[in-house]
Amino acid sequence: MTPTSNKEHLIGVLGGMGPAATIDFMHKVIELTPAACDQQHIPMMVSSMPDIPDRSAHLLQGGASPLPALLHRLQLLEKAGASCIVIPCNTAHYWFPQLKAATSVAMLNLIDEVVDAACEARFSKVGLLATDATLATGIYQTALEKKGIECVAPDGVMQKAVMDGIYTYKAGDSAKARQGFEAPYCCLQQQQVGAIILGCTEIPLILADEIRKKPACFLDSNRILAQAVVRWYSGKRKIV
Amino acid sequence: MTPTSNKEHLIGVLGGMGPAATIDFMHKVIELTPAACDQQHIPMMVSSMPDIPDRSAHLLQGGASPLPALLHRLQLLEKAGASCIVIPCNTAHYWFPQLKAATSVAMLNLIDEVVDAACEARFSKVGLLATDATLATGIYQTALEKKGIECVAPDGVMQKAVMDGIYTYKAGDSAKARQGFEAPYCCLQQQQVGAIILGCTEIPLILADEIRKKPACFLDSNRILAQAVVRWYSGKRKIV
């Protein structure tokens, strides 16, 4: 492969929301790629430039919009030669239509991929752990409803614990974040859901132990996006 | 911060050699950055495009040169606005002079950083675990000798075990890779070295358990490069 032909199949990753979630996504792409040496791995250009205005703060409290920064990273990835761009952040998918409209490059939609996975598993009811902002936009609920899948999310005190846990993790305290997730996670489990959507890419990191023990209980948005990338790339170029 | 001012401090990571080592490097940058939220993390543009001809195969068996692919990635990072470029791969530093000459962007040299760390720790003798190619180029031995530091590396069967371990890890079998490292690692430990240089960015992944138990026994090239990046970035822009 010459550098030129390689560029034709480059995956652009619009990440940094947060940086640890971006690494988790990259790790899952590697893990899911059948490669026997460096050269067989999927080429990625990864923007981990986290100085993007807080998505939740904008949607809920009218802070600065992240859209200009998202468009800036999108253009950088396009210029670098990306032929498929993905965003390992659920909340940022609120701006997916504007981002898609601003580029001619293919994009995979994380929310659609997760909802498709819920359909394929024939779930009639799922739980949803996500940021306040993702819940408020209704992106998951609307897409699931269209497929006839009921969606339950924590509310009140329980959802506050989810939100606190996410920001605690982003601030570097993973043990405290995990502890905070215990109540909302147990509460959703008791509601006879087929699986729980981890609808924020930080949550698979916070609940890593639970996922290891019971992988079938979760729809991990980061893993599902990684699977979609491997599938997309395999279709474009056979992985030996 | 606007997207424009952010670009002034962008770290370019010429990675993918291998992809897991690149992730480990990114992870260490995050870990070493005093950040309380996404926005305070160091912005990075990461090329993880692993289809770069094998560095060892070229240096030892006359395979295709990785230099054109390395220059291509370097240009992509430069175009994306990187103001400091690093390469989390020891063997690739053989081409550091040519890469440095091809760009006006600042670059941090991994080998120099590790040797400086050995000096600061006042070691008079260190062990070196690295690829056959890194050993053959003498980049570490020459730089250490200039500082009056003796360097011992495995040879014969022991070095073959190191090399097999690295390629086994790259092929996805971390347990077998770790097992293969046991003999050369113990052998170096018995030679009264101040510390062992992990002079291949895959080795900190293979010996993760040993490093956790005895961090002072190792000079982890990936962690030292991450420290250099945090230091460089802090000098350019104060991290709050």
Side-chain angles (χ1 to χ4, degrees):
Chain A
M1 290 284 283
T2 66
T4 317
S5 63
N6 196 17
K7 270 178 71 179
E8 287 167 27
H9 307 289
L10 185 63
I11 304 292
V13 182
L14 203 173
M17 299 173 282
T22 298
I23 291 181
D24 181 53
F25 167 74
M26 293 169 74
H27 180 73
K28 282 164 181 166
V29 171
I30 293 179
E31 215 176 55
L32 293 165
T33 305
C37 63
D38 287 358
Q39 291 74 12
Q40 290 175 357
H41 277 282
I42 295 178
M44 295 188 270
M45 181 63 86
V46 183
S47 157
S48 182
M49 301 165 68
D51 193 16
I52 300 173
D54 188 293
R55 286 64 65 194
S56 294
H58 171 71
L59 288 168
L60 301 173
Q61 296 140 35
S65 168
L67 186 58
L70 290 170
L71 286 168
H72 166 248
R73 275 70 165 162
L74 186 78
Q75 283 157 8
L76 286 182
L77 295 171
E78 195 170 353
K79 273 190 211 158
S83 48
C84 178
I85 293 175
V86 293
I87 311 172
C89 169
N90 288 263
T91 312
H93 276 71
Y94 176 75
W95 294 273
F96 189 88
Q98 287 101 311
L99 295 167
K100 184 73 201 85
T103 180
S104 58
V105 174
M107 290 182 75
L108 297 173
N109 184 310
L110 170 60
I111 313 293
D112 291 349
E113 296 292 340
V114 173
V115 172
D116 284 354
C119 281
E120 274 166 35
R122 299 180 183 274
F123 293 136
S124 56
K125 186 178 179 184
V126 294
L128 175 59
L129 288 172
T131 61
D132 288 350
T134 298
L135 294 183
T137 62
I139 39 177
Y140 268 116
Q141 299 93 315
T142 311
L144 288 163
E145 201 180 322
K146 273 188 196 159
K147 304 282 185 179
I149 302 172
E150 191 186 343
C151 172
V152 286
D155 55 12
V157 175
M158 290 295 178
Q159 178 58 24
K160 193 179 172 308
V162 169
M163 215 44 201
D164 288 349
I166 294 169
Y167 280 101
T168 302
Y169 184 85
K170 282 179 187 283
D173 193 341
S174 53
K176 196 176 161 199
R178 203 206 145 280
Q179 214 174 3
F181 261 77
E182 215 146 290
Y185 164 59
C186 291
C187 180
L188 280 187
Q189 267 195 322
Q190 287 160 7
Q191 295 188 57
Q192 319 292 333
V193 295
I196 296 172
I197 293 176
L198 305 180
C200 165
T201 50
E202 248 91 27
I203 304 179
L205 293 158
I206 300 170
L207 294 178
D209 283 348
E210 286 75 8
I211 299 171
R212 230 188 323 272
K213 281 179 213 151
K214 300 180 184 174
C217 292
F218 300 98
L219 290 165
D220 168 357
S221 54
N222 244 356
R223 176 170 290 275
I224 289 169
L225 187 64
Q227 276 165 339
V229 161
V230 174
R231 209 165 40 231
W232 185 90
Y233 187 79
S234 311
K236 290 277 161 185
R237 177 185 156 206
K238 196 157 173 56
I239 299 171
V240 187
Chain B
M1 291 286 281
T2 65
T4 316
S5 65
N6 196 17
K7 269 179 72 181
E8 287 167 26
H9 306 287
L10 185 63
I11 304 292
V13 181
L14 203 174
M17 300 172 281
T22 298
I23 291 179
D24 181 52
F25 167 75
M26 293 169 74
H27 180 73
K28 283 167 181 164
V29 171
I30 293 178
E31 216 175 54
L32 293 165
T33 304
C37 63
D38 287 358
Q39 290 75 11
Q40 290 175 357
H41 277 283
I42 296 179
M44 294 188 271
M45 181 63 85
V46 183
S47 156
S48 182
M49 301 166 68
D51 193 16
I52 300 174
D54 189 293
R55 287 64 64 194
S56 294
H58 171 70
L59 288 168
L60 301 173
Q61 296 141 34
S65 168
L67 187 58
L70 289 169
L71 286 167
H72 166 249
R73 275 69 164 163
L74 186 78
Q75 284 158 8
L76 287 182
L77 295 171
E78 196 170 353
K79 272 190 213 160
S83 48
C84 178
I85 293 175
V86 293
I87 312 171
C89 168
N90 288 264
T91 312
H93 276 71
Y94 176 74
W95 292 274
F96 189 88
Q98 287 102 310
L99 295 167
K100 184 74 201 82
T103 180
S104 58
V105 175
M107 291 181 75
L108 295 173
N109 184 310
L110 170 60
I111 312 294
D112 291 348
E113 297 292 339
V114 173
V115 172
D116 284 353
C119 280
E120 274 166 36
R122 300 181 181 271
F123 293 136
S124 56
K125 186 178 178 184
V126 294
L128 175 58
L129 289 172
T131 60
D132 287 350
T134 297
L135 294 184
T137 62
I139 40 177
Y140 268 115
Q141 299 93 317
T142 310
L144 288 164
E145 201 180 324
K146 274 188 196 162
K147 304 280 186 179
I149 302 172
E150 191 187 343
C151 172
V152 285
D155 56 11
V157 175
M158 290 294 178
Q159 178 57 23
K160 193 179 172 308
V162 169
M163 216 45 203
D164 287 350
I166 294 168
Y167 280 100
T168 302
Y169 184 85
K170 282 179 186 284
D173 192 340
S174 53
K176 196 175 161 200
R178 203 205 143 283
Q179 214 174 3
F181 260 76
E182 215 146 290
Y185 164 59
C186 291
C187 180
L188 280 187
Q189 266 196 322
Q190 287 159 6
Q191 295 187 56
Q192 318 294 331
V193 296
I196 296 172
I197 293 176
L198 304 180
C200 165
T201 49
E202 247 91 26
I203 303 179
L205 293 159
I206 300 169
L207 294 179
D209 284 347
E210 285 74 9
I211 299 171
R212 232 189 323 270
K213 281 181 215 153
K214 301 181 186 176
C217 293
F218 301 98
L219 290 165
D220 168 357
S221 54
N222 243 357
R223 176 170 289 272
I224 290 169
L225 187 63
Q227 276 164 340
V229 161
V230 174
R231 210 163 39 230
W232 185 91
Y233 186 80
S234 311
K236 290 278 161 188
R237 177 186 157 207
K238 195 156 174 56
I239 299 170
V240 187

